[in-house]
Structures are given as C-alpha cells and as structure tokens.
Amino acid sequence: MNPPSTALAEKIGGPGSGETEELISGSEAISHVCRLADVDVITAYPIRPYDTVMQYVSQMIANGDFDCEYIVAESEHSQFEIVKHASAVGARVFCGSSGVGWFYAFEALAVTAGLRLPMVAMVGNRALDDPGAFGVEHNDALAVRDLGWMLNWVETAQEALDTALIAYRVAEDPRVFLPCAISCDGAFLTHSQAIVKVPSQEMVDSFLPPYDRGDKQLHPDNPITIAPQANEDWLMEMRRQNDQAARRARGVIIEAYEDFNAKFGRDYEPFLERYMMDDAEVALVGMGTMGMPVKVAVRKMREQGKKVGFVRVRWFRPFPAVELQEALGGMQAVGVIDRDYSFGSSHHSGTLGTEVRSALYPLEKSPKVVTFIAGLGGREVTADNVVETTDMVFDAAEGKLNDQDTYWIGVRE
Amino acid sequence: MSTGSVEVVYRGIFQKTLAKNICRGIVFAAIKEGKIGIAFGRYSDSPERNGIPAKQFAVVSDTEEELQEYLSRYEPDNNDVTMVADDTLCKGVESWAWYGLQPINKLLAKDGTLLVTSTQSANKLIKTIHRKGSPYDLATIKAQASFSGLWVYKDDHTDVRLLGALAKVAPHIVSLDSVLEAIKDQWKDDKKVASAKKAHDETESTSVGAEQGSDAEPFSFDMPGYTKMEEGLVIRGIAAKGDIPGRDGGFVPGRNPTFKKYSTRTMRPVINFSTCTKCTLCWLNCPDTCFDITPDGFYEANMEACCGCGVCEAVCPVKECVTMVNEEAFEDNDSQWELWTKDKDGYSAWLAEKIANPPARSHGFHHIGQYAEEIANESS
C-alpha cells in the first residue's frame, strides 16, 4: 500500500485521522474500498454503469494514490478469468460488470464459486440489453444466485462502501472462500453522489485481515493442482462442500457485521433493514435503491394511519429465510416488489417474490404474500406507485385481491 | 419376458464408430424379432481421447419397462456378452473417473461370453484376464484391433463379424437370421452378410473356470466423502524424489498415485540401455513426462505414466535404442532399468526377444497389404 498523495491525504484527513466526509457516488465509494483494502489485482472492461468504478480506480492509480495490477482485459470473460486465477495465487482481487457483460463472463463466474476462489465484484445492475437498455434491473446479478456466489444489494453509497469492506472479510474467510457480488442499482446509485463517511486506513486495517489462502495458495513452494478433471466420481462431493461453505457464510456474515458495527460505529442489522416495522400490519419487501421511494411512501401512509412497514433485503445469498420469517411472520399480508422478472415462474412473480413466499410457507400461520413487478429497465418507482402497491397489499389482507397473482406497477396498459 | 445386454469395450476415439455400429446392429437385429432395444455409450464424447478405454452397450428386451431398468443404470453390470474390440483391453479398463482398474470380465454375467478380437490364442489371453470367480466362456474372432470405424480406414468387416459371432454365442439375444437380415438392410452389401455368416460358423468358445486367469489385484483408489476430501478441488503435489544424482538441480517427477495410465497404453517402449547415449531427447519430448532419470543418468519410461504414444521412439536418434512393442507382449509393469542393472545378459536376451519377434504394432501400417499378411501369418 502506497501512502496517499498529499492532496488525497488532505482531502481524506490522512492516516489516523478517522473518517472523513466526501461527496461521492456509489461507484466512487466502491473504488475507495479497492484502495483501502489494498486490492492486488483489478481487471476491467468497460460497460455502463459499472465502468464508473474503472474511471475512479484508474484516476487513483494515475494520481499515485493507489498501486495495484490494473489490467484492462479484452472482454468480460477474460476479465473474470484473470481475477479468478489471481485469487488462486493469493492475490486480493476486484472485478465488476453490468448486464450482458456479466453474462459474457458467465463461464468464469460459475467456476469461481465452485473452486472456492474468493473475489469481490461490483455489479452495476443493468437491463439485459437487447434494445440497448442500460437502466437498472436486477436480473443480471441474480443469474448467479444458484452457483455459490454471495449476493447483496445496497441502497446508498455509504452502504456500498461498508458492505464491500464486509464482503472482503466474509469472502476471504477460510470458512467461506466464496466470491461475493455487491449489486449497485445502475444510475440511482452508481451515478448518484451523496455524503459518505470514508474510513481511515487504520480503521480498515483493524477490521480486514490480509487474504491468506494458506495451503491452498498456488505457489511453486506449495505444489498443488486446482481443478483437475472431476467427473461423476468427485463432483457431487464438491457441490456438497460448496453447500456447506454457503451455509457457514451466514455465521461469518453475522460475525463480520458485529465487528464492523463496533469498529466503525454503525448500527447495521446483517441481513435486513427494517423500517417502521414495530407495529406494522402489512409489510413491503424489496431490494436496492427502491428503498428510498418506499420509505417516503411509508412515512406518508403512516401519517394517514396506515400501519405499513418495509423490510429491505440486504443479502440475497445467503438468503435470510429465518430473519424474514421472524420479521414478517406476524403480518396480515406481505407485498414483495421485484425489480426483476422470472417469466413463467410460479405466480408469474419476480425472483425475490418466489424466495420470500417459499421462506414464509413453513410458518404455522404464514401471511398472505402478494407479488409485484416495478421499476424495470430503470423506470422510476415513485412514492405514489408505492402507495398504490400498499393499498393492494391491504386489499389482499382483507381477501379482496387475488394473492395468487403478480401485479405490474407503473406499466402502461 | 427377457432382456439381453451386450457390453462393447473399445479404444476411444479410434473405435468409436465401430462400437456404435455393432450396438446399432444388435438393436436392428432385435427389431427383426419383434423385440425393442437401445444402444448407448457411457464414456463417449468429450472425455473420449486417443486410446482411452470406452464403452457402448446394446440392450434388447420384450418390454419398455424392462428396458427402463437398464436405461437408468450408469453401466449395466450383468451383461450376457462383453465384446472387446482391442485385445490389449483384456488387462482391464480404467474410466476417466477415479474408480481404479476394472477387470475386463467384471460386468459379464456368470456363464456369459467374453468375445475378443485377437490374433492371440485363447490360452494366452486368459493369462492376462483377471480371475472372475465364476465360470464364463471365451470366444475369439481372429482380427487385429480394427480401426474400420474411422472413415480413413478401409472397412475390414469387424463389425459384422462380431455380430455374426454374437448370434453364435448368444442366440437368445439375436438369431443369426435376424443378424443377417439387419446387416443386409443396413449395409446393402452381400459381402458383409457373408462375413457375418462365416464368423458365426467359425466361432468357437472355450470354457474358463472360476479360478482361471491372472491373480493380479486390480488397483483401486480411496474415494473420500465430502467431509474428508480437500475443499476447492485441490490436489496436492507429490514430493519430488530428490535431485538428479551427480548433477545440480534437475527434476525427478513425483508420480501421482491416483492417476495411472496402464490401460490407456497399447504399446510400450523397450529401451536398449547399452546403446543409449543419454541424449535426453526422449525425456524432453515425452508428452506425459513419463521418463525417470536413473542414478546412473539413463532415461527409463515409467510404466505408471506411459500412454504408449511412441514419441520417444520417433525422436530417439540411435538405431534400435527405443522400440515400441505391442502391450500384449508384457505381463507386468516392472522397471526395465532395474532388470538391466541386475542382469545385463538376461536383459539383453529379454530385449532381443521383444524386438526380434514382436507382436504387431497396435496401430500404424508400414506398407499396403500388411494387414492381410499379418492375419495370414497369424492364422498359419
């Protein structure tokens, strides 16, 4: 780690001075984590909106504030292959992409988790291209949900920074050794600047130990083969180990948040954010920046005496089924708003809707779950949309709305 | 209500089409008798590399339900007939999965028939085949390992000869009439029909007793559970044996005990150490790094790692220093260098015998008509 340049040291207060406040975007917050975590290898290939991270990282390198192997690959596939291999030799790595770029890297993405190679990636959520759309949808990051990747969605630039630090600690924990993707909504977070507390190097060092692969490090002094041919003789055992690691990740995440809250003076609940849930009768559930308009609407409705609350899911993998059961078990009805789609799925809902419904099913008295799709392709989800949605959830609670269907909010008919 | 199954063991990728044609022929013949059947490969496609033992199966049955039982199996393990398209496979087969060595008669039913294309006598073959523990029959079709499934090789009728022989040893699966009809339908070639008929008439079986055969223990590996095996699909390297004697540095490869290549090999190099100039070319060029450096600086092909490709023979600049010899000439995988060190005269005699009168090379012809000559010689 190079010491920060004088200019940056002044700007961020210099080593030992604790946190400084900066006006930065979600992407810039992630790039600060690359610097603070002293990432060894970063690979890049431009695609909007993830490419803003590239921009800030290369700027820090050019200014002499950060030193790493910064490789601009010729495609996303190569981008993720390079960091996958760098992780195997014990380098701390960062990578990222958006939309179909993430999909182009899929072969590498699938194998990274299987081989238990930790990596932190930022997905600047973007619609899957065809019409050239670059607004936010969550289908890109969600595509790896079954493969061993840990996945989370953040709401603010501050949460992006904090969660990326936590992600490194969890991903590189030997009990886990799995990749983790931080999902940042395209435009709403990647391009929106807000005041963010940027921690000092000392604070980060006290929280994040160096990445140590131990005897799984690929090195001439530790001759090992990673990933020889595995057929029906080994593959099922390998998947089961992956499953065990994904189960253990839950506990490691809780540990990391406890330590982070103590050292950074934050108050995060690890898996969920609960908003006005104490006496709520119905609840909305969603992920990412959609939390903003939802909170505005919830406050408005509270003023009108409607007992509605909001649960924002931070970690989608591992999925917080137990926490959701506890948070939502007493509701009369739950409305899940997906910023993604899963065409032809049960109840024609999005992916979050399916998972929440499944998590609540074992409850003795499970609430009615009604699912919504909103904000696709970057369309704004307004506070009015949320009020309309909430009214439908109340209707479902009273049996006046079919809770076996999914409702599209803000779509022209 | 009855089901019959046939296992065809062959060398991938050279014999893949041959094996497929045999199994399809069995199904077509069964259809002639009003039965139904399926043909399927179990080690096919991507892992099927040069020389790798691979399998095709044909199952015929009276009903769909009986067939289903076989379709759900990875490998049917109670076959009426096991056909072997290359007699060097009689030493056993390894799949790509780490299951160890499978004796060639392991999946053969009690009292079933092992049907081998070979120019060796039944008695000689039996010595290389693992003891089964139950009696079975051995039948041979006089032929070399056929490449006729490859379009660049001339059709030598091995496929229909095996089909004809099958009708002889297992008429309950397919009768000769059905086989001949199916061949006529498929190939529209009277010569192939005649070849099948001739093979049928000439095929004789020998009874093999439960305790007859090689008593070598087929090697196997531990298959640890997920709580025991290393995470992240990591395989530990093997510590090197040490520096090369008399030199600084160098490299003596450790041999991975969980990946042996005995059954991939159809030929092996024999080495004349007294003419070896220690030029290193075999050691450098071996694609499998199979050469060990001996304490006195010779290069010895380690039979655990040799695939039998013949590159060492091709690059050796010394006349008759490295000679590839068909695998059927060997009964063990012992070190040639150790034998030579202990008894130079004995080794010279052993080497002279292997080279002077070698069985046919496992692949490659040197002149037109060679195949016919070799078959004629073997038959006389």
Side-chain angles (χ1 to χ4, degrees), chain A residues 3 5-6 15 24 29 55 60 90 119 153 175 183 187 216 218 259 263 271 287 300 314-315 326 370 374 385 392 399:
Chain A
S5 69
T6 319
I24 54 175
Q55 176 193 331
M60 286 191 298
M119 166 185 305
W153 264 264
R175 292 168 289 179
S183 279
K216 294 196 190 310
L218 206 54
D259 194 39
K263 287 186 171 132
F271 293 103
M287 299 196 297
K300 253 192 210 172
R314 291 190 215 274
W315 287 77
E326 186 262 315
V370 57
N385 288 151
M392 293 169 79

Side-chain angles (χ1 to χ4, degrees), chain B residues 326-378:
Chain B
N326 191 305
E327 194 56 25
E328 73 180 51
F330 305 94
E331 277 162 19
D332 56 46
N333 292 298
D334 294 350
S335 161
Q336 294 173 21
W337 176 79
E338 278 176 21
L339 179 57
W340 180 70
T341 311
K342 274 186 224 147
D343 176 8
K344 294 204 167 46
D345 291 342
Y347 183 78
S348 293
W350 178 87
L351 184 69
E353 183 237 317
K354 296 296 178 204
I355 295 172
N357 193 21
R361 294 170 70 100
S362 69
H363 54 268
F365 294 123
H366 303 290
H367 60 270
I368 295 167
Q370 184 183 333
Y371 183 82
E373 285 168 22
E374 283 169 1
I375 293 295
N377 288 341
E378 295 287 344

